[in-house]
Amino acid sequence: LASLLSGLAADTLGRKRLILLSSFICTVAVLLMGAASGPNAFAMVMLGRTFNGIGTGLALQVSQCFVAEIAPKHIRGLLGASFELFINIGILMGYIGGWALSGLPVGTAWRLMIGLGAVPPAVVLLVMPCMPESPRFLLGAGRADEAERVLYRIYAPAEAAAALQEMQEEAAKHAG
């Protein structure tokens, strides 16, 4: 459900803010699941799973959009394909982590395994503030000056000018 709403949310909040929000949701949800105990443990795990699903659904859609909009043309395809590769590497790491923790007491192993799931979104929370907002989002939000500054920050000057002109032409085409 969240992935269906991610496009609207990304166009409203911006790609960067939505990535931060989804990472925050995932981090909190995973920590909630890992901390589940007592008579309400099952409910806490289910609540955590629900919110983790929402955060993941948002993140899977908007992060690909963000990468495609900010990456230089010559590596855009590589980064898009790498996204799928890294998802599968993450799944493999989860299996390896589960196997590595299998020797621990059951009550500790599952909590640690779930808790380790907070590491990737926490890293995104730490790194994403250093990243610029998508210039396409900024242009679409009427913030052309900011979009131009971002483009000149991430591209060579000639490339930035060409990218800005291309984005402005596309925006004009879609507006009319």
Side-chain angles (χ1 to χ4, degrees):
L1 180 63
S3 61
L4 294 174
L5 301 174
S6 65
L8 178 63
D11 287 344
T12 304
L13 297 173
R15 281 65 159 147
K16 181 178 175 177
R17 280 191 201 147
L18 189 56
I19 290 170
L20 285 166
L21 176 63
S22 66
S23 295
F24 177 76
I25 291 170
C26 286
T27 302
V28 171
V30 167
L31 294 176
L32 175 67
M33 288 187 287
S37 64
N40 294 325
F42 182 75
M44 288 174 69
V45 169
M46 290 298 106
L47 185 65
R49 291 284 298 151
T50 300
F51 279 100
N52 195 34
I54 290 168
T56 301
L58 291 171
L60 285 174
Q61 298 298 325
V62 74
S63 57
Q64 287 185 344
C65 177
F66 180 79
V67 168
E69 289 181 351
I70 208 159
K73 280 184 179 181
H74 67 280
I75 61 168
R76 195 172 294 153
L78 174 66
L79 292 176
S82 297
F83 189 82
E84 296 299 325
L85 174 66
F86 287 124
I87 287 174
N88 286 294
I89 289 171
I91 292 168
L92 177 62
M93 288 174 60
Y95 281 116
I96 292 169
W99 172 76
L101 297 173
S102 65
L104 296 175
V106 174
T108 303
W110 75 266
R111 288 179 196 283
L112 191 53
M113 183 64 197
I114 288 176
L116 287 172
V119 172
V123 168
V124 171
L125 281 172
L126 292 173
V127 172
M128 199 64 195
C130 300
M131 298 293 290
E133 178 56 87
S134 161
R136 287 190 189 275
F137 167 74
L138 292 170
L139 197 60
R143 296 158 54 188
D145 290 343
E146 286 179 69
E148 186 175 5
R149 279 195 300 276
V150 168
L151 287 168
Y152 277 92
R153 178 179 161 196
I154 61 176
Y155 293 139
E159 218 177 326
L164 180 62
Q165 182 178 352
E166 181 182 324
M167 287 180 204
Q168 288 172 330
E169 289 170 1
E170 287 176 13
K173 195 183 309 180
H174 290 298

